[in-house]
Amino acid sequence: MLQLSSPTAGGAQYAVSATGNNQRESQAENIQSLCTPTCSTNGTHSDGYTGAFEGPEKLLEMWFAADAGMAHHIGPDAHISNDEWAEHRTGLRLVPRAVWSDMLDMVHCQVLSTLSNAHIDSYLLSESSFFVYPHKLVLKTCGTTTLLYAIPRILSIAREHLGAMCAHQVFYSRKNFMYPDQQEELHQSWAKEVAYLDALFPDGAAYLIGKTNRDHWHVYLSGPESEAVSNSLVGSPVLCPQMSRSSSQSTVHGVMQPSTSSDITVEILMTGLDAERMQLMYLGGASTEEGASGGAAVERKSGISDIYPNAATDSYLFTPCGFSLNGLQGDGYFTIHVTPEPHCSYASFETNVSGSGVRDLHDPQATKHLVEQVTRVFGPKFVTVTVFKARAIEAAQSVAENAWANGVKDGVATTADAAPLSFAPVDGYKAMDRVLYEFDHYWLRYAYYIRTD
């Protein structure tokens, strides 16, 4: 990770105003010059590492809807690769690698390696992960990264390369930090983060889920947009078409692109990891080789490779410790990040891989088995689980209308737009918090567990 000085308001303005390639490159060089002498490709254990690494990630997901002329906005600098997936790339996947790297520099991340298939491009980062679909992106960063400062630049990229004049919807979430005082100023408090997001997305909403005096989870939501939006990037109101958070279709180049992924995402956040099991996450544990070779050894010896045995994976073992992984299966992804030091141990697991020959995450028993399989790998003392499930609102309304027409008055929309069922008991853990949120376009189920031994 590049340890840069704290971005100022001017830094955020740079992301909005730098529209020319030469200007972006020049200002990126200026930012690089601010790098401290302790810079390292591994911010977890750089020379300036204090011994208290912030494992819990900041997670940003942004969706975009294209206008009719989107193909003309891709431009001559579109990324045309020669790999086997080149013919499948559209939309955001055609953004040149250098443009994404420029954006990631603002967050203080570097690309370690990439993995692609017909649906997704994934980037394994020095500080977590980045996934790019034609119509959306998912950026997950740990440590003292400044993720939110990337939003104006991402909006600019989507406008330049997709013709998307606004974000269709935005999701930002994170667990409570272990060391909030070590974050850059913007990320030192949830209130500051919310104020920054509100300035960009006036109709956004912020939530805190779980006990305020124990582990809890923050989430910020904006959209789906169905009315005019104006922010510091867009200059004038524009309309964004509606899509659910996990819509099964996306508009790319004016054509509806079907998706086979189930409309559900599961995140498992773990602290108090088992010290013996974590020895595999140190150089010299599963492997004496840093990088991809060591990462592959960790996958095999830890049991991670058994979670999605048919997935393509890209992993990395850091020096002296730490592990990251991106995995792709069909049009779904999963990602794992581990900080194994006992005093600040943390691991995260996130997936939207469901159905098509793998576990169906709509089934609470399948989610239970996934949580048990993941916790067996890491042996955490404390576990937070979140499940986002897109709502089938139109289907529910249609069922209700048909039922009313046939004289059925009550409970008719339950199966068409059902909330995720309550989590089944997880072996070896006691559920301390169980929360269900019903939003306009999706459901959110949250649970917090403590190991019983």
Side-chain angles (χ1 to χ4, degrees):
M1 180 186 76
L2 296 177
Q3 297 282 356
L4 307 185
S5 300
S6 302
T8 63
Q13 289 172 359
Y14 146 66
V16 175
S17 62
T19 56
N21 287 334
N22 293 337
Q23 186 178 3
R24 284 200 302 271
E25 292 172 1
S26 174
Q27 296 196 7
E29 290 173 359
N30 290 337
I31 291 177
Q32 287 280 6
S33 69
L34 298 175
C35 190
T36 68
T38 59
C39 283
S40 164
T41 56
N42 181 4
T44 305
H45 302 289
S46 66
D47 292 338
Y49 175 51
T50 65
F53 183 72
E54 188 67 71
E57 301 97 344
K58 311 168 185 80
L59 176 60
L60 175 69
E61 181 170 334
M62 298 184 70
W63 288 63
F64 298 93
D67 65 341
M70 186 182 66
H72 300 294
H73 289 277
I74 296 300
D77 58 348
H79 172 63
I80 307 299
S81 65
N82 295 320
D83 66 15
E84 59 184 307
W85 312 115
E87 65 182 83
H88 299 280
R89 287 192 173 90
T90 57
L92 289 172
R93 296 186 68 191
L94 286 173
V95 173
R97 165 83 173 266
V99 174
W100 291 132
S101 294
D102 176 53
M103 179 274 292
L104 292 168
D105 280 345
M106 299 185 66
V107 180
H108 304 173
C109 287
Q110 293 178 330
V111 176
L112 299 178
S113 56
T114 62
L115 178 69
S116 298
N117 66 13
H119 307 278
I120 316 167
D121 294 314
S122 74
Y123 297 77
L124 195 65
L125 306 179
S126 56
E127 309 290 70
S128 300
S129 297
F130 180 42
F131 297 93
V132 181
Y133 286 79
H135 60 295
K136 69 174 182 177
L137 56 83
V138 179
L139 179 56
K140 190 170 193 173
T141 68
C142 58
T144 57
T145 50
T146 51
L147 185 149
L148 291 183
Y149 281 121
I151 292 178
R153 182 71 187 108
I154 293 171
L155 290 168
S156 178
I157 291 169
R159 181 177 65 182
E160 294 169 18
H161 296 275
L162 278 187
M165 297 307 295
C166 67
H168 166 64
Q169 54 187 358
V170 177
F171 300 84
Y172 174 67
S173 65
R174 65 169 175 85
K175 182 184 175 296
N176 56 296
F177 288 137
M178 297 178 182
Y179 310 104
D181 58 315
Q182 294 188 13
Q183 294 292 319
E184 299 286 357
E185 183 177 359
L186 172 60
H187 291 288
Q188 286 182 356
S189 76
W190 181 237
K192 291 179 180 179
E193 292 173 314
V194 170
Y196 182 85
L197 289 163
D198 280 346
L200 290 169
F201 311 106
D203 295 327
Y207 302 86
L208 188 156
I209 304 171
K211 294 183 173 71
T212 59
N213 61 340
R214 296 289 187 272
D215 280 356
H216 51 270
W217 196 61
H218 302 278
V219 60
Y220 184 94
L221 315 172
S222 177
E225 296 295 347
S226 58
E227 299 179 357
V229 174
S230 178
N231 59 35
S232 60
L233 170 69
V234 176
S236 60
V238 293
L239 293 177
C240 283
Q242 284 195 335
M243 289 166 56
S244 70
R245 176 181 188 274
S246 301
S247 174
S248 60
Q249 292 183 315
S250 59
T251 306
V252 179
H253 292 153
V255 179
M256 295 305 293
Q257 305 275 330
S259 171
T260 58
S261 63
S262 61
D263 301 342
I264 195 165
T265 301
V266 175
E267 192 172 15
I268 305 170
L269 311 177
M270 298 160 280
T271 56
L273 309 182
D274 180 78
E276 183 176 350
R277 277 174 261 196
M278 288 306 96
Q279 290 302 310
L280 294 174
M281 308 297 169
Y282 285 78
L283 195 67
S287 174
T288 58
E289 296 186 51
E290 183 182 7
S293 176
V298 171
E299 291 183 55
R300 293 191 304 270
K301 296 181 181 181
S302 67
I304 288 173
S305 59
D306 296 328
I307 298 175
Y308 290 111
N310 297 319
T313 60
D314 177 19
S315 59
Y316 198 101
L317 176 64
F318 293 94
T319 299
C321 65
F323 173 81
S324 289
L325 175 146
N326 286 345
L328 302 180
Q329 183 157 340
D331 59 358
Y333 68 87
F334 69 101
T335 183
I336 299 172
H337 301 283
V338 185
T339 300
E341 295 97 321
H343 60 284
C344 58
S345 65
Y346 171 82
S348 67
F349 176 94
E350 179 186 350
T351 183
N352 67 353
V353 178
S354 180
S356 301
V358 297
R359 61 176 61 83
D360 180 3
L361 297 177
H362 295 83
D363 179 358
Q365 288 296 321
T367 302
K368 161 192 166 69
H369 293 150
L370 175 63
V371 174
E372 290 174 347
Q373 191 171 15
V374 171
T375 54
R376 279 197 299 271
V377 172
F378 301 105
K381 176 71 173 176
F382 308 102
V383 182
T384 297
V385 180
T386 64
V387 177
F388 272 104
K389 177 190 174 185
R391 298 186 60 185
I393 298 173
E394 293 183 0
Q397 291 173 341
S398 176
V399 170
E401 291 170 0
N402 290 336
W404 273 81
N406 290 297
V408 179
K409 306 298 183 183
D410 299 318
V412 294
T414 301
T415 56
D417 180 31
L421 296 176
S422 183
F423 295 121
V426 175
D427 290 348
Y429 289 85
K430 179 180 179 181
M432 305 302 293
D433 287 320
R434 293 170 297 278
V435 180
L436 175 66
Y437 268 79
E438 178 183 358
F439 297 103
D440 287 342
H441 294 274
Y442 59 92
W443 300 96
L444 167 62
R445 186 171 285 283
Y446 166 96
Y448 177 64
Y449 297 90
I450 295 180
R451 198 172 61 213
T452 53
D453 60 7

